[in-house]
Amino acid sequence: MEYKNPLGVDIDLETGVIPGAKKLVRRLSDLKGYFADEKAYEELLKENPVVYEVYAVEQEEKDGDLNFATTVLYPGKVGREFFFTKGHYHSKADRAEIYYGIKGKGGMLLQTPEGRAEWIEMGPGTVVYVPPYWAHRTVNTGDEPFIFLAVYPADAGHDYGSIAEKGFSKLVVEEGGEVKLVDNPRWKE
């Protein structure tokens, strides 16, 4: 049997960076069609801000191995809707995931394929368990970068297409200075 070597990395808890990790940058232009307020989206697109960055340490896609990544989700809004990650189901839908809050304030929006939504607030030290078959998206509801760690099966894969096509049934918005979940008028059941 050939053994894989163990691995240890340092995460910069202030910036969320994992030195040497694969870096992915998502700008507002990468989220076309995801935000409900298209006019506000088009206006902010002129600046095309970075919405989030991912620092991933990935293994070969095989059963039994784990990937991990940090995400730095920047503060901001499109209209009333807070900045968020694209969100996804797992390609292998029976795979779960763990998220751990490192810095900042936000939450996890989760949804079943039928549209049942759950919201879990997150901050430093919060652990969120994402069960199999649930779509999930993180949302920055604060005024500083929201940084978290995700650990997931290496063979889970990401199904972004279902979210791009149908969206989430709920939006996370600011209403009267409060974080609120409201129905998404564009949700396609």
Side-chain angles (χ1 to χ4, degrees):
M1 174 184 280
E2 189 173 321
Y3 292 98
K4 183 178 240 173
N5 289 329
L7 171 68
V9 300
D10 292 320
I11 298 171
D12 184 323
L13 300 179
E14 284 300 309
T15 65
V17 173
I18 302 174
K22 176 179 148 189
K23 181 179 179 181
L24 168 73
V25 177
R26 294 248 194 246
R27 293 188 165 275
L28 187 62
S29 57
D30 298 314
L31 298 167
K32 183 168 179 56
Y34 282 80
F35 289 95
D37 187 336
E38 292 177 19
K39 185 176 178 184
Y41 173 87
E42 290 299 327
E43 187 61 33
L44 189 57
L45 189 59
K46 294 172 186 172
E47 299 171 31
N48 199 20
V50 173
V51 176
Y52 63 99
E53 300 170 348
V54 179
Y55 297 88
V57 178
E58 298 176 327
Q59 310 304 316
E60 185 181 332
E61 284 189 30
K62 63 177 187 167
D63 187 36
D65 219 337
L66 294 172
N67 289 338
F68 60 93
T70 53
T71 299
V72 181
L73 178 52
Y74 292 100
K77 289 193 292 271
V78 174
R80 301 180 313 141
E81 201 171 356
F82 292 100
F83 276 7
F84 53 67
T85 57
K86 278 187 167 185
H88 62 273
Y89 289 96
H90 288 145
S91 299
K92 288 190 175 180
D94 64 348
R95 301 303 195 249
E97 188 166 357
I98 293 288
Y99 283 72
Y100 177 76
I102 294 173
K103 184 179 180 185
K105 181 177 157 186
M108 174 82 64
L109 181 62
L110 301 104
Q111 172 180 293
T112 65
E114 298 78 26
R116 177 179 148 214
E118 297 284 338
W119 170 252
I120 300 173
E121 288 187 10
M122 291 179 70
T126 304
V127 175
V128 175
Y129 167 68
V130 179
Y133 305 101
W134 285 74
H136 42 291
R137 158 184 286 166
T138 46
V139 181
N140 185 337
T141 59
D143 56 7
E144 68 175 325
F146 174 39
I147 301 170
F148 53 87
L149 172 73
V151 181
Y152 51 98
D155 67 342
H158 296 88
D159 170 11
Y160 294 107
S162 295
I163 300 304
E165 180 185 322
K166 294 177 64 170
F168 275 77
S169 64
K170 300 290 182 188
L171 305 175
V172 184
V173 301
E174 182 176 33
E175 199 171 272
E178 302 280 321
V179 176
K180 300 279 185 188
L181 245 61
V182 298
D183 289 338
N184 182 353
R186 299 188 320 181
W187 160 247
K188 299 173 187 164
E189 199 167 338

